[in-house]
Amino acid sequence: MVLTTFVLMSVVWVFLNARVENIFYDDFRTNIETNYNELGINEENTDYQKLFKELKENALIAGFIHGHDKSYTILDKSTAEILYSSDVLYETDKLQFRNEIFKSENLLYVLSQKDANVVGNKQKYTKADGGNFYDYVKTQKLKDGEYVLFFKYNRDRALVVLEDFSNAILLSTVISLFAAVVIGSVLSRTITLPINDIMHKAEKITDGEFGYALTVKSDDEVGKLTQTFNFMSSRLKSMLTEITSEKKKLETILDYMTDGIIAYNRSGEVILTNPAAEKLLKSKTSEIVSFDEFMNILGISLKMDDITEENNISEPLHKVQYKDKFIKIHLAIFTDENNQTDGVIAVIQDITEEHRLDNMRKEFVANVSHELRTPLTSVKSYTETLLDGALQDRATAEQFLGVINEETDRMTNLVKDLLTLSQHDGGIVLNLDDISIGDLVGSCIERMKREAKLKNQELKSKIKHGLPIIQGDRYRIDQLIINIIGNAIKYTPEKGKIMVQVHCDNDNLIISVEDNGIGIPAPDLGRIFERFYRVDKARSRQMGGTGLGLAIAKEIAILHGGNITVKSKLGKGTNISVLLPIRKARR
Ligand code: ADP
């Protein structure tokens, strides 16, 4: 504001100076013109003497005679000789006077021109040693020759007025500057201070400090700016809170989801992993390799460069083996603001269990079909033979029907076992009862004795007295004991020995069935409880086994909160122990 005021006042000063000077000169010139015209001088009626006389007598001229300020001078145009001058200096020093007036460009111009009506008023004032002067030059043709009239007006008079003007302007300038300082400082309070506040607040927001809203001190633009800034700051704060909470939610989801997530940038570097991915790949974040390397390990021929080039993944789903696991990996691209691939997200699922179950299911169906096919083929072939005529031969017919009956029994057993397992898979409800295991085992041995006798086997039992009563499903525990004793009879040759013992150990009841039969090879020990697993398929089938007995037995033991273990030596014998908790009984 100070600068603007100063510049404005300077312009006014220059302009007024020029204007005042113009007024002075114009007044001087028009005054001469008007008065001179009134004299009515022309070439026909006037000669030098008359001109000289007229000029001296004229009221106008009065102002010029002996005047310090104004004077007139008559020159002969052809010789440029001064004929007369009313100037004081002319009277004292003619030579200097001549020197001074001949500095006037107006005079020199007029003298140089032939035209009789030429006027010298181009330059307003002439600089001279004796003081600057305004001058106006006129030519006048008379009867006796051509003359030049040189009118002079001391510039000092104008300068006095100009000085007054300058002083007034200087004073105005000082007052204006003072006003500019005062108004400027008041404005700075209402404009600069709030803007400063906004600036500081903006710096704090940049550092994440939102603090309180700024006070709106006025209703003008600055006030509106403050209001808008407050609104912007509050919106920014709420947006930031929203983003932070969304981020936290996403982090929690990523941390707790069971699927592994790995995000890669467009260069294939890992930018994010979740704990599930680290657990699944059994490596720390820093050990998880780049996209290309990972795909190479998984045997998937896919490179990040190809994905960014195509902007698409043609085959996003893969099921592959990774170390000891089977994984399902789903790849998806994420894009930038131009819809160009910015990276890839890999969602990894552990499908080892799914894979195992799928295999088991396939194996199970194959096993069941196989188990049913053998007796069915046998039934079919015997029936055909009977229909083809064997029916006539009673002895053969009876033998064949016996085989058919046996095969049907085998199938019935298999279906029964399958039904039991399917019940277990569907989640059976145990029919809990108070059971005396001693009595239950005794009754089972009684029932199995006939079978043992057929093989001349010795089936003995040693049951401790005073065993505690346990809670369990009588029917199923009975089935469990029969299965194990049945196996001992099946896999022990004639004249073998089988010993069934029941005793108490801490919190468990232990039923152990020991035989001196064929035994089980060590590598098979871990698998005999699997469904359809049989050490010697032919022998088992021959014995009427289905390969499901021990699987059912183990499931019953587990359902009761117990377990079943096996010890065996090939060719020496086998010991199968069932452990049942005394107080703990499930369901
Ligand atoms: P299976 O109906 O074939 O007997 P199990 O599930 O009852 O089926 O038993 C699985 C396999 O375990 C049998 O095929 C057999 O090879 C072996 N096994 C079970 N009990 C004995 C035992 N006491 N002595 C020797 N081998 C046994």
Side-chain angles (χ1 to χ4, degrees), residues 217-410:
K217 288 176 187 151
S218 58
D219 202 22
D220 56 4
E221 280 75 8
V222 177
K224 279 179 189 143
L225 177 69
T226 316
Q227 256 174 352
T228 317
F229 188 84
N230 280 341
F231 177 68
M232 188 198 78
S233 150
S234 75
R235 283 284 298 145
L236 210 64
K237 191 178 173 183
S238 67
M239 271 164 73
L240 210 72
T241 319
E242 215 172 292
I243 290 169
T244 314
S245 115
E246 284 301 316
K247 193 171 164 261
K248 280 198 178 135
K249 263 188 238 165
L250 206 69
E251 275 172 3
T252 315
I253 292 172
L254 281 175
D255 281 353
Y256 289 97
M257 71 190 291
T258 46
D259 290 354
I261 302 278
I262 308 177
Y264 297 93
N265 62 15
R266 71 173 80 188
S267 323
E269 291 153 0
V270 178
I271 50 172
L272 180 142
T273 62
N274 71 342
E278 288 161 26
K279 200 174 144 200
L280 223 144
L281 304 178
K282 286 184 188 149
S283 18
K284 289 181 205 140
T285 317
S286 54
E287 292 164 3
I288 294 179
V289 292
S290 73
F291 181 80
D292 288 357
E293 238 175 294
F294 189 42
M295 290 299 114
N296 191 26
I297 293 171
L298 298 181
I300 302 170
S301 55
L302 196 61
K303 295 228 174 315
M304 186 56 92
D305 285 350
D306 300 340
I307 297 173
T308 46
E309 207 169 286
E310 284 176 26
N311 211 18
N312 183 30
I313 300 176
S314 49
E315 228 184 297
L317 195 67
H318 298 268
K319 282 182 185 177
V320 287
Q321 190 167 1
Y322 178 78
K323 294 182 183 167
D324 56 343
K325 286 200 166 106
F326 283 94
I327 59 170
K328 186 155 97 178
I329 179 162
H330 200 121
L331 302 168
I333 56 167
F334 57 92
T335 53
D336 59 13
E337 64 278 5
N338 300 321
N339 263 348
Q340 289 303 305
T341 306
D342 204 22
V344 171
I345 290 191
V347 183
I348 308 165
Q349 278 174 323
D350 186 352
I351 52 159
T352 315
E353 188 58 17
E354 196 183 308
H355 195 260
R356 193 182 68 82
L357 288 175
D358 198 39
N359 275 351
M360 261 174 69
R361 187 185 53 79
K362 284 183 194 155
E363 211 177 300
F364 184 78
V365 173
N367 279 331
V368 171
S369 322
H370 184 77
E371 292 300 328
L372 285 172
R373 204 181 59 197
T374 322
L376 275 174
T377 317
S378 159
V379 168
K380 174 87 180 156
S381 63
Y382 281 102
T383 319
E384 272 175 359
T385 321
L386 282 172
L387 286 173
D388 283 350
L391 202 56
Q392 309 307 324
D393 181 352
R394 193 178 165 86
T396 319
E398 268 181 16
Q399 191 203 336
F400 282 14
L401 284 171
V403 175
I404 292 173
N405 188 36
E406 234 173 70
E407 294 296 350
T408 321
D409 279 350
R410 192 198 301 280

Side-chain angles (χ1 to χ4, degrees), residues 487-506:
N487 275 352
I489 296 171
K490 268 193 277 179
Y491 302 107
T492 303
E494 298 229 343
K495 292 179 185 158
K497 281 182 187 166
I498 297 156
M499 168 63 89
V500 182
Q501 292 185 71
V502 185
H503 64 274
C504 200
D505 168 27
N506 294 333

Side-chain angles (χ1 to χ4, degrees), residues 105-238:
E105 280 181 26
N106 291 339
L107 178 63
L108 294 175
Y109 172 74
V110 168
L111 286 173
S112 69
Q113 297 298 310
K114 283 212 170 80
D115 186 357
N117 295 317
V118 72
V119 174
N121 60 358
K122 293 269 179 328
Q123 197 187 29
K124 271 186 211 108
Y125 68 90
T126 304
K127 286 179 184 163
D129 300 337
N132 300 345
F133 55 83
Y134 299 111
D135 55 280
Y136 178 71
V137 190
K138 226 176 133 54
T139 46
Q140 182 62 60
K141 206 168 183 184
L142 297 178
K143 280 181 199 163
D144 51 354
E146 232 181 299
Y147 298 92
V148 171
L149 297 172
F150 181 82
F151 297 95
K152 178 169 168 269
Y153 181 14
N154 201 335
R155 192 167 167 255
D156 289 347
R157 289 281 291 174
L159 284 182
V160 173
V161 177
L162 281 177
E163 206 176 287
D164 275 356
F165 257 107
S166 294
N167 286 341
I169 288 172
L170 188 71
L171 187 67
S172 313
T173 309
V174 171
I175 292 168
S176 304
L177 287 179
F178 179 71
V181 169
V182 173
I183 296 169
S185 65
V186 170
L187 281 183
S188 86
R189 270 180 196 286
T190 55
I191 298 173
T192 324
L193 286 182
I195 288 178
N196 243 12
D197 282 351
I198 293 176
M199 200 178 74
H200 287 307
K201 173 104 176 152
E203 278 169 2
K204 281 194 173 168
I205 288 178
T206 318
D207 296 337
E209 256 180 71
F210 283 92
Y212 298 103
L214 294 168
T215 342
V216 181
K217 288 176 187 151
S218 58
D219 202 22
D220 56 4
E221 280 75 8
V222 177
K224 279 179 189 143
L225 177 69
T226 316
Q227 256 174 352
T228 317
F229 188 84
N230 280 341
F231 177 68
M232 188 198 78
S233 150
S234 75
R235 283 284 298 145
L236 210 64
K237 191 178 173 183
S238 67

Side-chain angles (χ1 to χ4, degrees), residues 417 483-492 513-521 524 527-537 539-541 543-553 566 568 573-576:
D417 282 355
N483 274 357
I484 295 167
I485 300 177
N487 275 352
I489 296 171
K490 268 193 277 179
Y491 302 107
T492 303
V513 179
E514 194 164 3
D515 61 59
N516 60 352
I518 59 169
I520 303 164
D524 297 302
R527 302 195 61 190
I528 56 165
F529 296 104
E530 284 177 18
R531 294 177 183 187
F532 293 109
Y533 192 82
R534 287 177 291 198
V535 178
D536 181 346
K537 275 201 169 83
R539 185 196 285 259
S540 157
R541 213 169 277 140
M543 303 286 180
T546 58
L548 296 172
L550 281 182
I552 293 172
V566 58
S568 182
T574 307
N575 181 335
I576 295 202

